[in-house]
Amino acid sequence: PFNSKLVIGNASPDSVNEWLISLLDEHSLDEGISDGINDGVYNKGKADQFYFINFNQLVGGAGNDTFTFSGDGHLTGSIDGGSGANTINATGSNRSHTFSFSDTPGQGIFIQNINNVNANSAQGNTLLGANHRNQWRITGVGGGTLNEQIQFQGFDSLVGGSGYDQFVLSGLGRVCHIEGGGSSVGSNDTVQLEGLDRALSIGLRTSGADIQLENIDYVNATPSGGHILVGAEQNNTWFIDTENGGTLNNQLSFSGFTLLRGNRADDTFI
């Protein structure tokens, strides 16, 4: 695949710069130029406006940069916000996007130096953490903060990096899918349910649960929350060795669950 980088080098620190990633109506498919992938316009309507076509790596300048995905517009490479307060806005996108703070190839659009990431909640978007220790605080439906620095909103799926990831859900916190990252357990990735406004069902790769977990080592809840832990769609073995706690299939340690629910196959509770 090609790599073509566009860098803004002369923006002042107090400038506000708008990147629109979109099919260019001015250079549409009828002309065989723009297909909306790696295409767009910088500072549309301003004196320094220019179009870009087939640039898959965008780098902001010293000012505040907003990268907006519109319609079917898509990027196959990376976004570096540069200095300043920088935002990715995909709330008007018709596509599902994967944004990643990890530069591992094949994991979506690599982003760095970004302060806010907002996606269209109707499109099934995924956010991946960097390959180091991460703390995710999920305080709204598909939204919250990452490492107390990055605001995110509109994501169905959150995926950790190769290091330790802690996912803390509180208040109105909801997300469809949480994955610890990597391909196996053992990194002590943790999901913590605390102070939620209602009881949730937590499932392991099973349909019907409020939140699906994958590659998670610990899930901890507050007993008064009334949360439900649902086994995977397979034979499950539950070892209950403490009040409201134990292990599931010798992989997941759980605590604070007053209700355990088996699945369609055989479940053994010990």
Side-chain angles (χ1 to χ4, degrees):
F2 75 93
N3 286 297
S4 185
K5 183 180 290 187
L6 177 58
V7 182
I8 301 301
N10 62 347
S12 64
D14 59 349
S15 64
V16 177
N17 305 300
E18 301 283 344
W19 303 72
L20 179 63
I21 302 160
S22 175
L23 172 68
L24 299 175
D25 294 333
E26 298 87 342
H27 304 283
S28 67
L29 283 171
D30 294 336
E31 300 175 7
I33 299 176
S34 173
D35 59 3
I37 301 175
N38 303 319
D39 302 339
V41 57
Y42 174 79
N43 278 345
K44 185 174 183 178
K46 297 181 180 180
D48 57 350
Q49 169 186 308
F50 63 82
Y51 298 101
F52 58 91
I53 295 176
N54 289 337
F55 283 89
N56 70 332
Q57 299 178 356
L58 306 180
V59 182
N64 302 324
D65 291 86
T66 297
F67 301 84
T68 299
F69 290 78
S70 177
D72 290 325
H74 184 56
L75 200 70
T76 63
S78 62
I79 295 174
D80 182 345
S83 55
N86 305 305
T87 297
I88 290 176
N89 179 13
T91 57
S93 176
N94 296 332
R95 301 179 61 128
S96 173
H97 295 281
T98 297
F99 296 105
S100 176
F101 286 98
S102 164
D103 60 357
T104 303
Q107 290 192 339
I109 304 170
F110 172 48
I111 59 176
Q112 59 182 328
N113 297 318
I114 296 294
N115 306 93
N116 297 277
V117 190
N118 303 313
N120 184 346
S121 60
Q123 296 300 327
N125 301 282
T126 300
L127 184 62
L128 286 80
N131 288 325
H132 54 59
R133 184 184 181 97
N134 295 300
Q135 184 185 68
W136 308 74
R137 290 196 171 273
I138 304 144
T139 55
V141 179
T145 60
L146 174 58
N147 297 328
E148 299 183 348
Q149 297 177 332
I150 301 161
Q151 304 285 329
F152 62 89
Q153 185 64 48
F155 288 91
D156 282 350
S157 182
L158 305 178
V159 181
S162 60
Y164 169 68
D165 285 86
Q166 181 190 46
F167 302 85
V168 181
L169 292 92
S170 61
L172 300 174
R174 305 282 189 279
V175 67
C176 295
H177 177 255
I178 295 175
E179 183 176 343
S183 59
S184 63
V185 296
S187 58
N188 296 322
D189 294 330
T190 301
V191 171
Q192 185 80 27
L193 311 178
E194 55 183 43
L196 287 160
D197 69 323
R198 67 178 177 91
L200 298 177
S201 58
I202 310 298
L204 277 69
R205 302 180 302 280
T206 182
S207 59
D210 295 316
I211 300 174
Q212 302 290 336
L213 303 185
E214 188 173 353
N215 293 336
I216 294 294
D217 300 279
Y218 299 90
V219 56
N220 305 313
T222 304
S224 61
H227 304 296
I228 305 168
L229 185 61
V230 185
E233 294 181 349
Q234 62 180 48
N235 294 337
N236 296 298
T237 301
W238 307 72
F239 286 95
I240 305 165
D241 55 8
T242 186
E243 184 175 2
N244 301 320
T247 59
L248 174 57
N249 298 330
N250 288 322
Q251 294 180 335
L252 176 70
S253 296
F254 61 89
S255 66
F257 286 89
T258 56
L259 179 59
L260 307 178
R261 179 179 296 165
N263 218 302
R264 301 175 183 177
D266 296 332
D267 285 83
T268 302
F269 297 86
I270 302 173

